[in-house]
Amino acid sequence: MTHPQSEHWSDYIDGELPLAEARELETHLEVCGECRRLLNELRGVVARAGALEDRPPRADLWPRVSAQIGVSRRRFVFSMPELLAAGIALMLISGGGVAFLLRDEIGAPVAWIRPEPEPVVRTVATGGGYDAAIGQLQRELAKGRGSLDSSTTRVIEEKLALIDQAILDAERAVAADPGSEYLRAHLTRSRLTKLDLLRRATELTRTIS
Amino acid sequence: MKHEDRSEPPSEVGARGGFQPSSGIGSPKPRMPTTATRGAPAQKPGAHDPNETDAVDAALAASGDAHAFERLYRRHINRVHSLVRRMMGEEAEEVTQEVLVHAWQKIGTYRGEAAFGTWLHRVAVNLVLSRRAGRRRWRDRFAENDAEAMELPSKSTVHLAGLDFESAIAALPARARQVFVLHDVEGYRHEEIATMLGVTAGTSKSQLHYARMALRETLG
Ligand SMILES: [Zn+2]
């Protein structure tokens, strides 16, 4: 009996064969025990590969990793186009919401230094770490804002106002429908976008000053 | 069939692009910690979604929070080390360490298009492949130069009977081992593996089949 080339059985398992060829192989299988056995063995290998257990390294690598990342400080490469790109992402997330600027009594924009509003809901994913990071970035940004020109400042403020509104909307939506995974993911994305924007804006003040 | 088998290291795919995993449609869905939802009960409101948790920690780590990065490390170290170990065919803990340091340095380029685990694994694969040339053992060199052995997989090429499955993977010739791990363990497609390794998809298929044929011996 002529058997198909053994490689075809791998292709067959992986669904890489045109239908007609697959049918031919199946016809052959009906009459050939040898190829049936080979096919089963190959399937066994594939199944075994998919069921491999992961195991940790012999020793915890974190002490060595942390020692190394402690000495190699990351540098952000950061540009206005990137900031604007982040702004475009924000526009999308806000769903075309209207931009507004928060101003204090003398009319100076304060969007990024006002205290965080108490969130309506808080997903577990954004716990104290998130709030602390937002707070720290906002303080840093408030300190460094003098180094930015006024048009940059305005762009950042507009974007922050948009994202804050988006976060508030998302929080309300989640509060109304706490079971919705989509809404929760949307809220997380909105919060991450704020974190990202603040991070970039802060980097910008560091780069300039 | 002609086999491309370059002895120089494959180009570091994606490195210049910030180690972004290929995105979107038709790209592999590596069997990795993308979600922990398979077989898990429907998520209750307020429960942790591992991807969300990863996304938050990745953003914090990108702003310099080493504690957030440690949490990512704890959640992913077993998977990523197992990947590195299998790809290298040896313990290779210093390579895993290098992957993590590299991930820290590059984490600002992670934009959340894919799950963090997917991104991290791509960082690991790129690093392993870029280091391959300098670290090949004589056995690999011997096996890879033997193009005939690749053409006609035979039991005389590698003897895996009696080894446990993991050891048998490690004993495969490097190229076959990498293709097998990337395809059957990690879930990448041939087209993508071909790009990563700098070979044709046909070569990737042949190498995979070679590995599977050889590994049959371990399943007594
Ligand atoms: Zn047959």
Side-chain angles (χ1 to χ4, degrees), chain A residues 93-208:
Chain A
I93 279 183
S94 73
V98 181
F100 64 93
L101 287 177
L102 292 173
R103 292 175 185 279
D104 64 14
E105 295 92 66
I106 58 163
V110 290
W112 63 43
I113 52 170
R114 79 197 162 93
E116 273 296 276
E118 200 49 42
V120 180
V121 289
R122 190 185 292 270
T123 61
V124 255
T126 58
Y130 173 83
D131 293 337
I134 290 282
Q136 193 193 332
L137 284 169
Q138 281 175 322
R139 281 191 297 279
E140 243 183 274
L141 193 52
K143 246 186 286 171
R145 60 186 291 195
S147 61
L148 301 176
D149 66 56
S150 61
S151 63
T152 307
T153 301
R154 196 175 59 248
V155 169
I156 294 170
E157 280 173 350
E158 283 172 4
K159 299 313 169 196
L160 276 172
L162 277 174
I163 192 62
D164 278 338
Q165 185 60 47
I167 288 172
L168 200 64
D169 291 345
E171 284 171 348
R172 286 189 183 127
V174 171
D177 183 7
S180 165
E181 247 179 80
Y182 171 79
L183 290 175
R184 284 160 37 76
H186 176 69
L187 174 57
T188 302
R189 270 198 308 278
S190 309
R191 286 176 172 164
L192 290 178
T193 308
K194 176 170 184 174
L195 193 62
D196 193 46
L197 177 62
L198 280 172
R199 176 162 61 84
R200 286 157 169 268
T202 309
E203 280 303 318
L204 185 61
T205 65
R206 283 188 211 139
T207 313
I208 291 172

Side-chain angles (χ1 to χ4, degrees), chain A residues 6-7 10-11 13-14 16 38 41-42 44-46 48-50 52-62 64-65 68-69 72-74 76 123-126 129-130 133 178-179 181 184-185 188 192 195-196 199-200, chain B residues 31 43 45-48 52 55-56 59-64 66 69-70 73-74 77-79 81-82 85-86 91 93 96-97 100-101 104-105 111 165-166 169 180 183-185 190 205-206 208-209 212-213 215-216 219:
Chain A
S6 76
E7 194 169 337
S10 269
D11 292 339
I13 291 171
D14 296 334
E16 301 268 357
L38 174 59
E41 286 175 356
L42 291 172
V45 170
V46 175
R48 188 80 181 75
L52 283 174
E53 298 273 329
D54 299 324
R55 63 173 171 77
R58 287 168 300 192
D60 185 12
L61 301 179
W62 179 250
R64 286 190 270 163
V65 171
Q68 250 183 293
I69 67 179
S72 66
R73 290 307 304 170
R74 209 170 43 255
F76 287 101
T123 61
V124 255
T126 58
Y130 173 83
E181 247 179 80
R184 284 160 37 76
T188 302
L192 290 178
L195 193 62
D196 193 46
R199 176 162 61 84
R200 286 157 169 268
Chain B
R31 183 191 76 92
Q43 203 178 331
H48 283 269
E52 273 186 44
V56 171
L60 291 172
S63 53
F69 191 69
E70 183 177 0
Y73 167 90
R74 300 282 168 214
I77 184 62
N78 292 2
R79 276 292 286 141
H81 178 61
S82 297
R85 179 166 45 78
R86 288 176 191 132
E91 255 330 296
E93 276 159 349
T96 303
Q97 182 184 335
L100 269 306
V101 171
W104 166 261
Q105 289 162 346
R111 292 269 172 262
F165 198 69
E166 290 270 16
I169 294 173
F180 180 77
H183 191 282
D184 279 2
V185 182
H190 284 299
K205 286 182 188 177
S206 301
L208 176 66
H209 182 62
R212 286 174 177 174
M213 290 294 277
L215 288 168
R216 286 183 307 154
L219 306 176

Side-chain angles (χ1 to χ4, degrees), chain B residues 13 21-22 26-28 122 188-197:
Chain B
V13 176
S22 69
S27 71
R122 194 55 188 265
Y188 288 98
R189 290 167 190 227
H190 284 299
E191 291 69 27
E192 183 143 26
I193 295 168
T195 308
M196 290 192 279
L197 295 178

